Amino acid sequence: MVRRKKAQWRAEREAFYQRCKPIFDRLKPELIKTHYNWYMAVEPDSGDYFIDKDDMVAGKMCRQKHPNAIPFVFRINDTGACGTI
């Protein structure tokens, strides 16, 4: 049961990422020039995005406009990844 829930959560997360990534990929070439290593919170249903130096601020800006949405946060760099491995 727990494994199924984890697998379902991962699949949902991946599907959400796949909806947000095209928005990020479309905007990244321009934003990388002016906002390198800033953060972009994407709300895929509206196509809205919010950028800030702080990932929490970008997410908060998104939730203010879309209170029922959970944004996907990318880092504006070559990979879009926010953390380190």
Side-chain angles (χ1 to χ4, degrees), residues 9-57:
W9 179 84
R10 285 186 180 135
E12 289 170 359
R13 185 79 177 153
E14 177 64 22
F16 185 65
Y17 168 78
Q18 292 300 329
R19 291 175 49 220
C20 296
K21 188 155 181 354
I23 297 167
F24 173 71
D25 287 342
R26 178 173 45 87
L27 299 164
K28 181 175 79 167
E30 277 305 309
L31 291 175
I32 207 165
K33 296 174 190 174
T34 56
H35 295 87
Y36 190 80
N37 272 338
W38 284 39
Y39 295 91
M40 174 192 288
V42 175
E43 197 291 305
D45 293 332
S46 65
D48 288 345
Y49 64 94
F50 306 84
I51 59 171
D52 196 89
K53 290 180 182 180
D54 184 312
D55 61 332
M56 300 298 282
V57 173

Side-chain angles (χ1 to χ4, degrees), residues 1 3-4 18 22 26 37 43-44 63 74:
M1 182 76 152
R3 284 186 185 179
R4 246 188 267 165
Q18 292 300 329
R26 178 173 45 87
N37 272 338
E43 197 291 305
R63 286 187 302 278
F74 294 93

Side-chain angles (χ1 to χ4, degrees), residues 5 16 26 28 33 41 47 59 65-66 68 73 76-77:
K5 285 186 178 186
F16 185 65
R26 178 173 45 87
K28 181 175 79 167
K33 296 174 190 174
K65 184 168 182 185
H66 303 283
N68 297 320
V73 178
I76 303 170
N77 59 24

